[in-house]
Amino acid sequence: MEGDIIMVIKVNISVVISLCYCYWIGRSISAGTRRLLFLAPIICFFLFIPFNFSSVHLRGNTGFFFAWLGTFKLILFAFNKGPLSSDPSISLGRFVASASLPIKIQQNQPHIRSKTSQDGKTPPPPDPSKHSKSSHFVTNPSSETPKTNGQSKEKTSPTNPSKGHTPLLPYAIKAILLASLVKLYDYSHQIHPKVIFGMYCFHIYFMLELLLATFAALARTMGMELEPQFNNPLLSTSLQDFWGRRWNLMVTSILRPAVYQPSLKATINVVGPSWAPLPAVFATFVVSGIMHELILYYMGRMPPTLRMMEFFVLHGLCLMVEIVLKKTLGSTRRLPRLVSGLLTFGFVAATSFWLFLPEFVRCRIDVMAFEDYAALGAFVKNLSAAF
């Protein structure tokens, strides 16, 4: 544990220095392949970071933050796209925070007001028809108008940063539930394996929710406005709703400009604008599956079986079918929300038990996680005894 703590400090210092270099490259080298070549050493460094740790939690988290989100952000930045390029006047501190933390910085309202005051004009209200669904890599090809899409996103947003801080009570409840799950693992020999898999699902969700909320709170202290990472995924009414609007929105907002939009542009002239979203959706799920296999390898250090890849390919195919059905049947022939919600939950749970969660058991992620908890408890005990 002591070695990992020292390594965390070393890695954080290295990351900050590396991102300062990236910031300078962005100011010195024009966007394109040449900038990507200059950023390539940092991208390779980010991919190597998880191998420095013995803790499965640190390997998984650094793999997610740096090897996945960080590298994708830098690749997008090389071509002047993504969150690192959304504000040309971004400061060095905000650049480092946005590139290294699992957050996406939103444009602050004070910044917009100051800009309009210089013009001496009051800007018109935003046009919903021009609203960009930047947090979704799945577009809705149904008969809904762009205006309806823009309005629906506003209704599904769980928090509005301009209205204040996120309430602490939901996170306190999730922390208690997570601690209860960890305690229940002591009696795992008396619990059915399928129930254990279900516990793993909630364990992963609660842990990600709390971890990302912690980073979001830290960033908020620096005056940054953040978009939420989850939006009540248990309330999803379709696969499109689950993957596009509710589950891990940070990954969604990165995959959209990095994979979905280029794939859409590449196929739109081949199959037409109506059907181009289908191969783009499938390509996005394939890339997501590859990255999940990489994260699993970081954590378990075992050869991949591609079962997790199969999970995302299956969901990509089923989402394509769902999009076709919505487009064909229109908005008038839809299942009641309660029915579609139960079907969505059942499908996600069943496929998770079948393909996703068994990979964590195969790689002994649960065993290594308990070893981390024991090591952390011993470290805290020794530290308190020393003082």
Side-chain angles (χ1 to χ4, degrees):
M1 179 60 68
E2 292 85 352
D4 276 342
I5 293 176
I6 295 174
M7 184 56 65
V8 166
I9 298 174
K10 291 181 178 179
V11 165
N12 284 334
I13 293 174
S14 301
V15 166
V16 171
I17 295 174
S18 300
L19 292 176
C20 289
Y21 163 79
C22 294
Y23 183 81
W24 175 76
I25 290 296
R27 295 296 185 271
S28 307
I29 308 296
S30 58
T33 305
R34 187 162 175 260
R35 183 190 288 185
L36 179 62
L37 292 175
F38 277 90
L39 296 178
I42 308 303
I43 294 173
C44 294
F45 168 60
F46 275 21
L47 290 170
F48 180 76
I49 285 176
F51 292 113
N52 291 283
F53 301 100
S54 60
S55 165
V56 68
H57 286 89
L58 290 175
R59 293 200 299 264
N61 289 325
T62 55
F64 177 62
F65 298 159
F66 299 121
W68 188 347
L69 298 184
T71 56
F72 275 52
K73 289 178 183 179
L74 291 179
I75 292 172
L76 289 169
F77 177 64
F79 298 96
N80 207 28
K81 299 179 182 297
L84 300 181
S85 302
S86 60
D87 183 5
S89 61
I90 187 173
S91 65
L92 175 61
R94 292 191 172 217
F95 180 91
V96 172
S98 181
S100 59
L101 296 177
I103 61 175
K104 179 180 178 180
I105 302 175
Q106 296 177 339
Q107 295 294 330
N108 291 333
Q109 293 299 327
H111 173 74
I112 298 174
R113 286 196 297 267
S114 62
K115 182 177 179 181
T116 56
S117 62
Q118 293 175 359
D119 298 336
K121 299 178 181 180
T122 303
D127 184 1
S129 65
K130 298 180 181 179
H131 184 71
S132 174
K133 297 175 68 175
S134 59
S135 64
H136 310 336
F137 62 77
V138 180
T139 56
N140 189 350
S142 67
S143 59
E144 293 178 350
T145 63
K147 182 176 180 180
T148 303
N149 288 341
Q151 291 174 344
S152 64
K153 182 180 177 184
E154 292 298 324
K155 291 180 181 179
T156 58
S157 178
T159 58
N160 188 344
S162 64
K163 293 183 180 180
H165 298 290
T166 304
L168 295 179
L169 180 60
Y171 293 104
I173 295 174
K174 290 169 184 174
I176 294 173
L177 292 174
L178 178 59
S180 302
L181 284 175
V182 173
K183 186 62 178 177
L184 282 175
Y185 290 139
D186 294 338
Y187 308 95
S188 59
H189 60 282
Q190 301 176 3
I191 304 176
H192 193 278
K194 296 297 183 183
V195 177
I196 294 292
F197 282 168
M199 292 166 62
Y200 287 162
C201 283
F202 286 101
H203 188 154
I204 294 171
Y205 168 59
F206 291 148
M207 186 174 65
L208 283 175
E209 182 82 288
L210 293 171
L211 186 64
L212 295 175
T214 301
F215 280 105
L218 291 175
R220 189 178 288 116
T221 62
M222 296 184 286
M224 300 180 187
E225 294 294 345
L226 313 167
E227 67 178 12
Q229 306 304 320
F230 294 96
N231 180 13
N232 298 319
L234 295 178
L235 300 181
S236 301
T237 57
S238 66
L239 289 179
Q240 190 177 24
D241 186 32
F242 177 81
W243 290 113
R245 302 178 185 84
R246 295 187 180 276
W247 179 259
N248 209 342
L249 301 180
M250 187 60 199
V251 168
T252 303
S253 63
I254 288 296
L255 287 176
R256 180 175 177 82
V259 183
Y260 178 81
Q261 290 177 346
S263 301
L264 186 68
K265 186 180 297 185
T267 58
I268 196 169
N269 293 327
V270 179
V271 297
S274 297
W275 301 107
L278 298 181
V281 164
F282 185 72
T284 305
F285 274 89
V286 168
V287 172
S288 182
I290 293 172
M291 296 310 300
H292 276 84
E293 289 283 357
L294 178 62
I295 300 300
L296 184 66
Y297 179 74
Y298 284 140
M299 299 174 69
R301 306 287 176 85
M302 294 184 67
T305 62
L306 300 184
R307 298 271 290 177
M308 194 166 287
M309 181 72 174
E310 293 174 7
F311 171 84
F312 285 95
V313 169
L314 175 61
H315 275 253
L317 292 173
C318 291
L319 183 50
M320 291 170 63
V321 173
E322 181 181 285
I323 291 174
V324 171
L325 290 176
K326 286 183 177 180
K327 183 177 180 64
T328 303
L329 300 177
S331 59
T332 57
R333 298 182 180 179
R334 298 289 177 85
L335 293 173
R337 291 179 61 88
L338 177 61
V339 176
S340 62
L342 290 175
L343 290 175
T344 301
F345 176 81
F347 180 77
V348 173
T351 52
S352 297
F353 289 174
W354 173 32
L355 296 171
F356 191 87
L357 295 172
E359 287 296 279
F360 288 90
V361 178
R362 179 183 68 86
C363 294
R364 301 180 67 250
I365 304 299
D366 52 341
V367 176
M368 289 186 285
F370 298 145
E371 292 174 352
D372 279 359
Y373 297 145
L376 179 62
F379 175 77
V380 172
K381 184 177 180 180
N382 293 336
L383 189 63
S384 61
F387 290 96

